[in-house]
Amino acid sequence: KLDEFEALGVSAALENVDPIGPIRGFMENENAITYLTIIVLYGFFVLIQFVQGISWCAMSASVYGWFFFKDNKKEKQTFPITRNLARTLFHHTGSVAFSAFVIAFCDMLRAACAYVEKQMGPTNNMMVKLAFKVVNCVLACLKKTVKFISYYGLVWVACQGTSFCGGCFKTFFRSEEHTSELQSPLQS
């Protein structure tokens, strides 16, 4: 068999193949470390939000089951958090992962803003300081809003079995209809 390959010139062609050539080419790039740092940081943010989303989804389903089926012996579960954790992992992992990606993107925006602010160094210009304060405030509000809608969208996913986008859509319009109930007692 080897003689047939050599007759075709395959062995000579295989000697010139570099299996990690693209990776070597990427690592020779001067910005490779920066790109890898961004990827690792985004992965860290996604991992944190994914773990929080899984726990939020599993606990929401457990509370839902306890509240609505506490008097029904047929529907009562022995280990509700464990069973709902398994159900979340097997049936709703994609929804939780998508919410983690969205929230992590907001975290990346905040980290990028903090990085730019740190790279600029101390400044005496009040307009620059004010601009960074405003941008930080807007990004913090964006993250809180996205996290609120995403997590309560996960409640819909856990309790009703809807899609994540459908749950977020319902959450957004429910919160819009009942804004007075969402205000804290100190604001009223």
Side-chain angles (χ1 to χ4, degrees):
K1 285 283 188 187
L2 289 174
D3 294 336
E4 293 175 15
F5 283 118
E6 288 178 1
L8 295 172
V10 173
S11 62
L14 289 177
E15 290 175 6
N16 297 330
V17 173
D18 185 9
I20 61 168
I23 295 171
R24 187 176 293 117
F26 173 75
M27 290 308 293
E28 289 172 357
N29 185 355
E30 61 187 38
N31 295 326
I33 300 298
T34 304
Y35 297 145
L36 292 174
T37 303
I38 290 170
I39 291 169
V40 168
L41 183 63
Y42 184 70
F44 176 72
F45 288 148
V46 169
L47 180 65
I48 288 173
Q49 295 303 327
F50 183 77
V51 170
Q52 288 178 353
I54 288 287
S55 62
W56 185 266
C57 202
M59 286 187 285
S60 299
S62 298
V63 171
Y64 175 82
W66 169 80
F67 185 79
F68 287 105
F69 302 114
K70 60 185 168 194
D71 297 330
N72 188 347
K73 294 200 184 280
K74 185 179 177 186
E75 295 290 329
K76 194 170 184 180
Q77 296 178 351
T78 309
F79 299 106
I81 291 187
T82 308
R83 287 182 181 230
N84 287 312
L85 176 63
R87 189 177 81 181
T88 299
L89 288 172
F90 287 117
H91 297 290
H92 306 304
T93 306
S95 297
V96 175
F98 186 68
S99 73
F101 283 122
V102 172
I103 297 169
F105 181 73
C106 294
D107 284 335
M108 280 301 290
L109 290 176
R110 293 184 71 196
C113 181
Y115 177 76
V116 169
E117 186 176 7
K118 184 171 174 100
Q119 288 298 314
M120 286 186 65
T123 180
N124 293 331
N125 190 344
M126 290 304 289
M127 290 305 289
V128 172
K129 288 181 182 179
L130 180 65
F132 276 114
K133 298 281 186 199
V134 169
V135 169
N136 284 329
C137 183
V138 167
L139 290 176
C141 289
L142 175 70
K143 183 191 174 195
K144 285 189 179 289
T145 303
V146 167
K147 195 169 184 176
F148 175 83
I149 290 174
S150 295
Y151 275 19
Y152 282 98
L154 287 177
V155 171
W156 279 95
V157 168
C159 299
Q160 303 296 321
T162 62
S163 67
F164 174 71
C165 293
C168 289
F169 183 78
K170 289 178 183 177
T171 299
F172 179 75
F173 286 107
R174 296 266 184 201
S175 64
E176 190 176 87
E177 290 173 6
H178 304 288
T179 50
S180 62
E181 295 172 11
L182 296 174
Q183 291 179 347
S184 82
L186 298 175
Q187 291 177 343
S188 54

